[in-house]
Amino acid sequence: MMVELRKAIEADIDAILEIMAEGHNESAFVGTFDEWTARHYLMGFMQLEHSTLMLAVDGNKILGGVMMAASYEWCLEPIAYVVKFWVRASARRTRASRHLMQYIDEFARSWGCTSVYATATAELDKTEQRLFENLFAKHGFADCGATLKKGLYNG
């Protein structure tokens, strides 16, 4: 398998939507997956000036992706956010996650970010959640505080 990175383009959206639906089904997120909403979210994100959706691919097959944003908040230097990170279940034993993790650092450096923040809020089962957290820890991420959630969904 030859894993390469490339920036997502509009023609990738249908394949990304399929992966998003898989991820939604794998997680314990509350809410109804909606293809129209997800499509417009992706299209809007791809047009943002300080954001990139990078894909790990094997030929034409998308294995995973990372959505990155550089955020100018109250300092001259931005901070980077890992907005979304995913690797298809079938590609989790490939080099896709390593390539995507390397890209996170490249993105942050290219924007002159002081830090990169990521949350582990996919609400996966315990094994997958631990693997996700370990992947980020292996690449230098450290716990810097809790992520808090208050459920409000009444559907």
Side-chain angles (χ1 to χ4, degrees):
M1 181 175 288
M2 181 66 170
V3 178
E4 297 178 318
L5 295 182
R6 69 170 173 78
K7 195 172 179 180
I9 59 173
E10 191 171 334
D12 294 318
I13 289 179
D14 285 338
I16 296 169
L17 289 172
E18 181 181 315
I19 297 167
M20 287 176 84
E22 286 176 13
H24 180 77
N25 291 336
E26 184 180 10
S27 78
F29 278 136
V30 175
T32 306
F33 179 80
D34 182 70
E35 188 175 304
W36 185 92
T37 302
R39 177 181 304 280
H40 287 84
Y41 170 70
L42 291 171
M43 289 173 26
F45 187 89
M46 290 167 61
Q47 294 173 12
L48 295 173
E49 179 182 353
H50 302 108
S51 301
T52 301
L53 197 172
M54 186 62 67
L55 300 175
V57 299
D58 178 19
N60 291 327
K61 184 177 180 181
I62 298 173
L63 305 174
V66 62
M67 296 171 72
M68 294 296 303
S71 180
Y72 291 86
E73 297 177 8
W74 58 86
C75 295
L76 292 174
E77 305 83 8
I79 53 178
Y81 287 100
V82 178
V83 179
K84 300 283 182 227
F85 183 98
W86 73 92
V87 175
R88 290 189 106 137
S90 62
R92 291 189 184 147
R93 298 208 186 276
T94 70
R95 297 194 55 83
S97 62
R98 288 187 191 108
H99 286 300
L100 292 168
M101 293 302 298
Q102 290 168 350
Y103 177 73
I104 290 170
D105 289 343
E106 291 171 23
F107 176 90
R109 285 190 188 101
S110 74
W111 283 98
C113 297
T114 57
S115 301
V116 182
Y117 288 88
T119 59
T121 56
E123 299 186 40
L124 302 170
D125 70 37
K126 286 183 182 184
T127 301
E128 292 299 325
Q129 185 70 24
R130 177 59 49 207
L131 289 170
F132 180 84
E133 292 173 22
N134 288 345
L135 172 67
F136 275 74
K138 267 184 169 172
H139 287 86
F141 284 77
D143 188 349
C144 66
T147 298
L148 307 175
K149 173 186 171 184
K150 178 180 181 179
L152 298 174
Y153 184 72
N154 296 316

